[in-house]
Amino acid sequence: MFTGKITKIIYRKEDFLIAKLEASDGDYVIKGSIYGVDSGETITVDGEWVTHPQYGKQLEVTRWERPLPKTKSQIIAFLASPLIKGCGEKRAKDIVQHLGEDSLNRIMKDGEGCLLPIKGIGQQKAAKIVESVRLTFEIQNILMRLLPYGITANMVVKAYKEFGSNTAEVILKNPYQLTNLKLIGFLKADEIAKRIGISPASGYRIEACVDYVLKEKCFNIGHCYLPEDELIADTLRVLNHNAKEQITRAEVEQGIAALEANERIVIEDGVIYPTFLYKHEKRVAQKLSKKLNGSGNGEAMPFLVEPAIRDYQRKNNMVLAEGQREAIRKLFTESLLILTGGPGTGKTTVIKAMIEIYRERFPKAEISLSAPTGRASRKLAELTGVDACTIHRLIGFRPGEDPVFDENNFLPCDLLIVDEVSMMDIQLADLLFSAVAPKTKVLLVGDSDQLPSVNPGNVLKDMLDAGVAHVKLTEIFRQAQESQIVMNAHRVNQGKMFAIDPEKNDFYFIHRESPEEIAETIRKSVLRFLQLGYTPSDILVLSPMKKGEIGTQELNRILQETINPPALYKEEIPAGKTIFRVGDKVIQTKNNYNKEVFNGDIGVINRIDTLLDEEGEPTNEKGLYCSFNGREVIYTKDDLKELQLAYSITVHKSQGGQAPVVIMPVSTSHYIMLARNLVYTGITRAEQKVVLIGTQKALSIAVSNNKIVERNTRLSNRLRKIMSLFEQQKAGVASELRKSL
């Protein structure tokens, strides 16, 4: 064991480090899992000497630690280093002047309280400094205990926030806790458990596997529950794969009973729900049923609506189709109405008419417009000329907190219009309908032929199946009939192949056989559109899948290399396998309420520059300065896990948005994803041009395949059951009334 100073980082990838170490008796090369160490730091290392055939003698580190700085100058240098968030050299000097040579011990022991008396350090800043110091020293001891089992530094840091100084004890007892924190999946946790020596028949293992299989199916397929027999069979398959000691059905049933006792699952009539999905589904059914049991609120009778429709048509010099007029009538007679229709059927036209007629009838009424995603809400606002926002923003949702608007504090609106409802999952539906007042009239707008929500539930389909009042627009307007995009979208929906008119230039099919040829043609097509004056933001390259030669990951690599290659004047920041470069097109992959960017928002990296602290002082870290919808949004290195390149995105991610040009591969290499609703959804994202690249065979399979994967939900059943009870109650009241007369 010896102590030295790191003079050069030779190689670093996540936890693994190769570096030069300057010790009192010479310079050495060290390598191993050494977390969070930078050049200029002093560390103590222990390990075994190995000889590399190319690089010679190296110390393979098995144990290391960062000695606690002792002198004032060492402490100042440490506090001013990039390791400590929220601190710079001036602040470091102030801390040492106030706390002396015992500064670090005081910070770890007393926390924020010892820093708050220092001028310029508030609660938020103090918390960052304390967390950084504690992470640096306490976590390295936890790491030493857990790294031998394959637990990474990143996992330890996140687990530490949950379990604190007990992290090692908690994980060594039950490594499956890491799956509850969503740090790893069950299979990785199982590997770690084997290294630790956890028994294959451990209750922790069986419960974790049941939970894993249930959630994996729910979130990958969109189910809200699994039949009990299916869950047991799938769990046994995972537990007993390549295992010497076989787990029995009875043991899995015990695990299921334990999960039910701990309220992590709900068993109902032979099916098993994750508890949170069961609660969401049940609440949505109750809220919707109450809404459906209400009247149309008596705002206007049909004889008052008809003149309003005629006035609107005369004023706007137009004639609404019968389906559109029927939708307007029903808006005034129903508390909850669903409006559906494909492209070119005039959904936007009738929404604008509804808003104007409703406003004329009720000039003081509050009207709110919303959609599940930021892009969808912005599109709704552009098309209607009325402000719109995401559902999350509408209800004032913040992670870890109750929404501003819920069943105890209803949304202050008289008419609520929600677009792109096919994207709404069961959790989002629960949040929304819990916040809707009994008096509020609700119009839900969507295209029932598009892909369902990414997350569990099939809310739009379930409401339609349950018999919620519904108007479907089917007439395609003359102007829309001129568009091959609109007409071919409807052909696909009817299971017919495309009809392409070579005289028009808005729809193309380019035959290519192999995935390599398809990828190269996509690359050339993007270049051609750029030469024609389109920008990268105008072009959506959609793929059904993330992986594979024509999946989004590989297409992003190819297109980044083509459109925005590396250059001396372009700064870049690596994040895992992705390199983010100035000029890159990027997509936000989760809702971030602090930054006010949401899942599916697309932006551009304007610059990579030094980050500033809360006081506007430069830090030692660089970050991305991105433009999203005209706003500058800053990303630290820790934030980059929320970003992906967006030269190519999945069809699911494209929902709610549109672009002038859509390019999409259609190949049998994506066989599992060749489905009619996926191709239909992709085509309907295009405003001006569609380019499909692939084989006639793949296209034929996709158009013919209307076998939409059925989702396990009971929302429609619950709705029908509750509505039936309401009808029985009404009939009972009417009967009693007749008896009393």
Side-chain angles (χ1 to χ4, degrees):
M1 181 178 282
F2 57 91
T3 300
K5 185 178 182 180
I6 300 238
T7 55
K8 183 181 179 183
I9 304 289
I10 299 169
Y11 175 82
R12 188 203 300 271
K13 186 174 182 184
E14 295 177 353
D15 301 340
F16 185 76
L17 183 79
I18 302 174
K20 278 190 178 178
L21 188 82
E22 183 185 274
S24 56
D25 58 346
D27 291 354
Y28 303 102
V29 173
I30 62 170
K31 66 178 182 180
S33 294
I34 305 171
Y35 164 75
V37 170
D38 281 312
S39 258
E41 281 199 70
T42 298
I43 64 170
T44 299
V45 294
D46 195 8
E48 295 179 5
W49 291 105
V50 296
T51 302
H52 191 281
Q54 187 176 349
Y55 301 112
K57 190 178 179 183
Q58 299 174 334
L59 182 73
E60 200 165 282
V61 176
T62 55
R63 183 173 181 81
W64 67 276
E65 65 180 37
R66 185 187 278 112
L68 204 65
K70 292 182 172 62
T71 67
K72 287 187 177 182
S73 60
Q74 287 174 341
I75 296 167
I76 290 168
F78 170 73
L79 288 172
S81 75
L83 286 167
I84 308 303
K85 307 291 183 189
C87 200
E89 190 171 352
K90 180 181 179 302
R91 195 161 285 120
K93 287 177 179 176
D94 291 342
I95 291 170
V96 173
Q97 185 178 350
H98 184 76
L99 300 177
E101 291 182 356
D102 199 32
S103 296
L104 297 179
N105 281 321
R106 287 280 308 279
I107 289 170
M108 285 191 284
K109 182 182 173 186
D110 301 335
E112 291 96 320
C114 68
L115 296 174
L116 291 174
I118 301 170
K119 189 177 179 184
I121 299 183
Q123 187 70 44
Q124 192 177 7
K125 183 84 66 183
K128 277 189 179 178
I129 294 169
V130 170
E131 182 184 34
S132 298
V133 172
R134 283 178 175 165
L135 284 175
T136 301
F137 292 105
E138 190 168 14
I139 278 193
Q140 74 180 20
N141 295 325
I142 297 169
L143 270 171
M144 289 307 106
R145 295 179 63 187
L146 297 179
L147 281 173
Y149 302 110
I151 298 167
T152 67
N154 185 46
M155 290 182 218
V156 171
V157 169
K158 289 177 178 174
Y160 178 84
K161 291 179 180 178
E162 181 74 18
F163 305 122
S165 54
N166 294 322
T167 299
E169 285 74 18
V170 169
I171 291 174
L172 289 172
K173 181 182 178 185
N174 178 12
Y176 299 98
Q177 288 275 17
L178 295 170
T179 64
N180 296 335
L181 299 177
K182 298 180 181 175
L183 300 178
I184 52 174
F186 171 79
L187 300 178
K188 180 67 178 174
D190 220 22
E191 287 175 24
I192 293 167
K194 282 177 189 172
R195 294 193 191 107
I196 292 172
I198 304 290
S199 165
S202 160
Y204 293 134
R205 178 175 186 248
I206 294 169
E207 289 169 35
C209 190
V210 172
D211 185 66
Y212 159 74
V213 170
L214 182 58
K215 287 178 180 171
E216 191 81 356
K217 285 250 180 146
C218 287
F219 280 90
N220 284 351
I221 301 175
H223 295 322
C224 287
Y225 67 80
L226 285 183
E228 187 170 2
D229 285 343
E230 182 183 332
L231 176 58
I232 291 171
D234 287 349
T235 302
L236 284 169
R237 232 184 329 269
V238 174
L239 288 170
N240 292 331
H241 180 68
N242 291 337
K244 292 178 184 176
E245 188 179 335
Q246 297 285 296
I247 305 303
T248 66
R249 180 184 176 101
E251 287 171 312
V252 173
E253 287 172 345
Q254 286 176 3
I256 289 172
L259 288 170
E260 186 184 25
N262 290 323
E263 298 183 349
R264 290 175 61 189
I265 61 171
V266 172
I267 303 175
E268 180 189 71
D269 301 330
V271 306
I272 298 178
Y273 284 81
T275 299
F276 63 96
L277 290 179
Y278 176 81
K279 289 180 176 176
H280 289 318
E281 188 179 271
K282 204 164 182 186
R283 278 197 298 259
V284 169
Q286 290 166 345
K287 302 294 179 186
L288 286 176
S289 298
K290 285 180 182 175
K291 175 63 66 180
L292 293 168
N293 190 49
S295 66
N297 300 337
E299 290 99 341
M301 297 303 290
F303 70 86
L304 292 175
V305 177
E306 290 301 333
I309 294 173
R310 288 196 295 271
D311 288 348
Y312 179 85
Q313 291 179 131
R314 189 165 52 250
K315 191 165 74 174
N316 290 277
N317 194 27
M318 67 188 301
V319 177
L320 295 167
E322 175 52 32
Q324 293 174 317
R325 295 196 296 274
E326 177 62 15
I328 296 169
R329 292 184 202 110
K330 282 201 169 184
L331 178 73
F332 288 96
T333 58
E334 303 290 342
S335 287
L336 176 64
L337 175 66
I338 299 173
L339 175 67
T340 66
T345 57
K347 291 197 301 291
T348 303
T349 300
V350 74
I351 292 168
K352 289 168 79 172
M354 286 170 159
I355 291 170
E356 190 168 322
I357 292 170
Y358 191 88
R359 274 205 174 126
E360 288 219 354
R361 178 80 182 120
F362 305 103
K364 293 183 179 179
E366 282 290 327
I367 302 175
S368 295
L369 273 62
S370 190
T373 67
R375 278 187 301 160
S377 64
R378 282 190 295 276
K379 188 179 86 172
L380 180 62
E382 287 166 15
L383 293 172
T384 61
V386 180
D387 285 344
C389 64
T390 64
I391 293 172
H392 284 94
R393 183 184 287 280
L394 179 77
I395 63 174
F397 178 82
R398 294 276 171 177
E401 300 176 23
D402 290 332
V404 174
F405 297 104
D406 56 19
E407 61 268 19
N408 300 313
N409 182 30
F410 293 128
L411 285 163
C413 64
D414 301 286
L415 172 62
L416 173 63
I417 300 173
V418 185
D419 198 10
E420 297 286 1
V421 179
S422 63
M423 300 171 67
M424 188 162 64
D425 59 65
I426 195 69
Q427 180 182 14
L428 190 55
D430 183 12
L431 288 168
L432 175 65
F433 293 122
S434 292
V436 174
K439 72 176 184 67
T440 300
K441 191 175 283 294
V442 179
L443 173 67
L444 303 175
V445 184
D447 185 342
S448 53
D449 296 312
Q450 283 192 25
L451 291 170
S453 60
V454 175
N455 288 326
N458 206 350
V459 178
L460 178 58
K461 180 180 182 297
D462 286 343
M463 286 191 291
L464 293 171
D465 288 349
V468 173
H470 169 218
V471 175
K472 181 170 185 176
L473 303 178
T474 55
E475 183 179 334
I476 304 171
F477 285 87
R478 188 177 301 168
Q479 188 178 354
Q481 289 175 12
E482 297 299 311
S483 165
Q484 290 192 103
I485 296 171
V486 170
M487 297 312 294
N488 280 328
H490 284 279
R491 288 183 69 85
V492 168
N493 220 12
Q494 295 157 11
K496 299 175 184 175
M497 287 298 286
F498 302 126
I500 299 176
D501 181 352
E503 295 297 313
K504 295 182 178 180
N505 63 351
D506 60 350
F507 203 100
Y508 304 88
F509 176 75
I510 303 173
H511 179 84
R512 293 290 182 271
E513 283 288 340
S514 71
E516 296 93 334
E517 290 177 306
I518 293 172
E520 177 59 15
T521 306
I522 288 172
R523 190 185 73 82
K524 287 179 176 176
S525 298
V526 170
L527 281 176
R528 179 63 182 144
F529 280 116
L530 293 174
Q531 289 164 0
L532 290 170
Y534 290 93
T535 68
S537 297
D538 294 331
I539 305 166
L540 266 182
V541 177
L542 303 180
S543 180
M545 300 174 77
K546 292 179 183 178
K547 296 182 179 177
E549 291 177 87
I550 46 176
T552 58
Q553 292 171 354
E554 181 61 14
L555 288 174
N556 269 316
R557 186 193 65 75
I558 292 168
L559 293 172
Q560 183 190 43
E561 200 175 86
T562 302
I563 298 170
N564 192 28
L568 290 173
Y569 61 89
K570 287 182 191 172
E571 289 212 55
E572 54 187 42
I573 290 180
K577 294 180 181 178
T578 303
I579 291 174
F580 292 104
R581 188 174 295 136
V582 171
D584 275 338
K585 183 179 174 183
V586 290
I587 185 168
Q588 176 75 14
T589 60
K590 62 184 289 189
N591 292 332
N592 188 315
Y593 301 93
N594 294 324
K595 295 184 188 299
E596 296 189 353
V597 284
F598 302 96
N599 189 3
D601 282 353
I602 292 177
V604 175
I605 301 173
N606 286 338
R607 61 191 170 101
I608 294 173
D609 209 342
T610 301
L611 296 171
L612 307 178
D613 65 16
E614 287 88 344
E615 279 80 38
E617 295 293 321
T619 66
N620 296 309
E621 187 182 349
K622 286 199 169 183
L624 305 185
Y625 288 74
C626 302
S627 174
F628 280 88
N629 309 308
R631 289 178 52 250
E632 183 174 78
V633 181
I634 302 169
Y635 289 81
T636 67
K637 281 191 177 181
D638 289 342
D639 297 329
L640 295 184
K641 60 184 178 293
E642 296 182 5
L643 274 188
Q644 289 175 0
L645 294 175
Y647 298 106
S648 175
I649 63 175
T650 62
V651 179
H652 259 114
K653 283 284 185 192
S654 73
Q655 282 182 277
Q658 287 191 294
V661 177
V662 164
I663 302 172
M664 187 162 62
V666 188
S667 165
T668 50
S669 68
H670 286 157
Y671 188 85
I672 195 170
M673 299 297 285
L674 290 176
R676 186 185 298 174
N677 61 350
L678 195 138
V679 174
Y680 173 79
T681 301
I683 292 170
T684 55
R685 301 307 93 204
E687 296 169 332
Q688 297 173 16
K689 296 181 190 297
V690 168
V691 181
L692 299 178
I693 302 168
T695 66
Q696 198 77 25
K697 179 183 177 182
L699 200 53
S700 179
I701 292 169
V703 171
S704 302
N705 179 16
N706 198 31
K707 293 177 183 174
I708 298 167
V709 177
E710 284 296 319
R711 294 190 167 190
N712 295 339
T713 78
R714 287 184 167 177
L715 178 60
S716 60
N717 291 342
R718 293 185 200 283
L719 278 171
R720 281 193 289 264
K721 198 177 287 184
I722 299 173
M723 287 161 64
S724 173
L725 286 172
F726 280 140
E727 290 303 316
Q728 290 171 25
Q729 287 171 359
K730 283 181 183 176
V733 169
S735 174
E736 289 300 317
L737 186 61
R738 279 195 296 272
K739 285 178 187 176
S740 66
L741 292 174

